Amino acid sequence: MSRLALSDADKECRDWFVHTTKSLGCDVTVDAMGNLFAVRPGRRRGFPPTCAGSHLDTQPTGGRYDGILGVCAGLEMLRVLHEHKIETHFPVGVVNWTNEEGARFPISMVASGVWAGVIPLEKAHNLREVGGNGRTMKQELDRIGYLGEKDAHHQAIPLGAHFELHIEQGPRLQAGNRRIGVVHGVQAYRWHTITVQGQDCHTGTTDFANRSDALLTTARLILHSRRLAVKYDALASTGIIRANPGSTNTVPGWVQFSLDIRATKDDVLLDLEKHLKSDFDEIIRGNPVNGLNDGPEVMGRPCTIEWTLDAPSRATRFDDGCIDCVRQSAAHLLGEEYKDYIQEMISGAGIAIP
């Protein structure tokens, strides 16, 4: 499945979401980031709704459940209430957050981040797509008809609570024969764009000693980020690499790559980043670091490096009352032995925090 944020496929799915929720008795609000809030009124008006939800956009080769499960589960909740004519005391609803994946526009949870007050609206609107034609989020929101007039902020569209049913995307629950993860919070992450500057040169006429090879240097940096992350009990990943000029017989003189680092504690993550920056400075100069640059090969000339922080997100603890609600629901569903089938855990994904 491929449904990148604000694509034609995303518009089609959004139209379906709006039509479906309205048919189930909901009022639908679209904010300035294209977030969709479908709210079913309760007996008592004037109170913020308790919502379920997630996102309908996917990664370029995304699965059928990441995000979509949370939205569809919320829709099923609305359908059950509607078909059985159940009137809740307070309003309930479902939310579809825009570009939660950060695949097309490279800040994850950008629209929920604007709603939470941690990302400026202008920054989000001016965010350009990865690849393609460089369209901005605002341009694409307007193109597909989901640039709402409502202020994208939790004070303008308050929620009483928000729950998200999410596929784990990892092996822990299945490996432990557990059915439900009771999530206490999310780990911290920091997304960086790193630029390595060397010098273009001909592959046949320039010997190793006189090359300033940005791509080879980048390979060493990525390998070292993985090794160092292991020492910190953290994660480091690279998903995007661009190399110029892009010719078979030219040594790349410019490379830009993404670096996503994550840890369960903020201080651990910052220590990892500080250590990476120090070691990267040594690696690009050709100095030996953790087994790199100390072999018999000719090292060549040094490169330079530039870091850009794209998206920081601190570790977060969820509300104790919400966590307990999940436990109680698991107990109701699974019976007295429910503790044998749940796992208390920290999510590896992120979340926007107001």
Side-chain angles (χ1 to χ4, degrees), residues 211-290:
R211 295 185 183 187
S212 181
D213 190 331
L215 184 56
L216 179 60
T217 300
T218 295
R220 290 171 173 147
L221 298 177
I222 294 171
L223 175 60
H224 184 64
S225 70
R226 165 71 178 263
R227 289 175 173 175
L228 199 58
V230 170
K231 292 182 178 181
Y232 279 82
D233 194 23
L235 296 170
S237 308
T238 293
I240 299 174
I241 301 176
R242 303 183 184 93
N244 285 343
S247 170
T248 299
N249 60 341
T250 302
V251 174
W254 179 95
V255 174
Q256 194 170 74
F257 67 97
S258 64
L259 183 63
D260 173 339
I261 54 175
R262 303 183 184 230
T264 56
K265 296 181 179 179
D266 294 314
D267 57 345
V268 172
L269 185 63
L270 292 175
D271 286 345
L272 169 61
E273 182 177 308
K274 182 179 179 181
H275 198 161
L276 282 170
K277 287 181 175 180
S278 176
D279 284 357
F280 279 15
D281 284 344
E282 295 299 318
I283 292 171
I284 64 168
R285 295 189 186 103
N287 297 326
V289 175
N290 195 28

Side-chain angles (χ1 to χ4, degrees), residues 126-141:
N126 291 330
L127 194 63
R128 293 189 180 277
E129 65 180 334
V130 175
N133 298 314
R135 302 274 294 179
T136 67
M137 284 200 74
K138 186 175 183 179
Q139 288 173 328
E140 289 297 86
L141 282 166

Side-chain angles (χ1 to χ4, degrees), residues 102-113:
R104 184 181 182 193
F105 301 96
I107 297 180
S108 66
M109 304 169 298
V110 62
S112 56

Side-chain angles (χ1 to χ4, degrees), residues 4-266:
L4 294 176
L6 310 186
S7 61
D8 291 343
D10 189 28
K11 170 181 167 48
E12 184 178 359
C13 200
R14 286 166 171 267
D15 292 345
W16 166 81
F17 176 89
V18 171
H19 172 78
T20 300
T21 53
K22 284 185 175 180
S23 72
L24 297 175
C26 292
D27 300 318
V28 179
T29 299
V30 184
D31 71 13
M33 283 302 300
N35 295 318
L36 302 176
F37 301 84
V39 178
R40 185 177 187 267
R43 288 193 295 270
R44 298 188 64 180
R45 304 298 178 105
F47 290 88
T50 295
C51 286
S54 192
H55 57 94
L56 292 170
D57 67 305
T58 74
Q59 291 286 338
T61 54
R64 296 177 180 273
Y65 301 103
D66 179 8
I68 303 160
L69 175 65
V71 175
C72 289
L75 291 175
E76 181 62 18
M77 174 266 295
L78 293 176
R79 192 180 306 279
V80 169
L81 293 175
H82 181 75
E83 291 178 351
H84 292 272
K85 298 181 173 56
I86 297 172
E87 187 178 20
T88 56
H89 194 56
F90 294 102
V92 296
V94 180
V95 183
N96 172 46
W97 301 102
T98 298
N99 193 59
E100 197 77 350
E101 287 290 351
R104 184 181 182 193
F105 301 96
I107 297 180
S108 66
M109 304 169 298
V110 62
S112 56
V114 173
W115 175 87
V118 297
I119 297 176
L121 177 64
E122 184 177 5
K123 178 180 180 179
H125 273 174
N126 291 330
L127 194 63
R128 293 189 180 277
E129 65 180 334
V130 175
N133 298 314
R135 302 274 294 179
T136 67
M137 284 200 74
K138 186 175 183 179
Q139 288 173 328
E140 289 297 86
L141 282 166
D142 186 51
R143 182 185 70 85
I144 69 170
Y146 280 93
L147 181 62
E149 297 181 356
K150 189 75 172 180
D151 188 18
H153 198 275
H154 60 88
Q155 293 178 342
I157 309 175
L159 299 180
H162 185 284
F163 293 88
E164 180 179 13
L165 178 64
H166 205 283
I167 187 171
E168 185 193 4
Q169 300 171 281
R172 290 173 293 177
L173 291 177
Q174 183 175 356
N177 195 29
R178 307 291 174 127
R179 296 177 60 185
I180 297 173
V182 180
V183 182
H184 291 205
V186 296
Q187 64 182 344
Y189 73 82
R190 289 168 73 84
W191 284 12
H192 297 273
T193 296
I194 299 178
T195 304
V196 179
Q197 185 69 56
Q199 178 65 53
D200 300 351
C201 62
H202 195 285
T203 59
T205 61
T206 311
D207 60 12
F208 290 151
N210 288 294
R211 295 185 183 187
S212 181
D213 190 331
L215 184 56
L216 179 60
T217 300
T218 295
R220 290 171 173 147
L221 298 177
I222 294 171
L223 175 60
H224 184 64
S225 70
R226 165 71 178 263
R227 289 175 173 175
L228 199 58
V230 170
K231 292 182 178 181
Y232 279 82
D233 194 23
L235 296 170
S237 308
T238 293
I240 299 174
I241 301 176
R242 303 183 184 93
N244 285 343
S247 170
T248 299
N249 60 341
T250 302
V251 174
W254 179 95
V255 174
Q256 194 170 74
F257 67 97
S258 64
L259 183 63
D260 173 339
I261 54 175
R262 303 183 184 230
T264 56
K265 296 181 179 179
D266 294 314

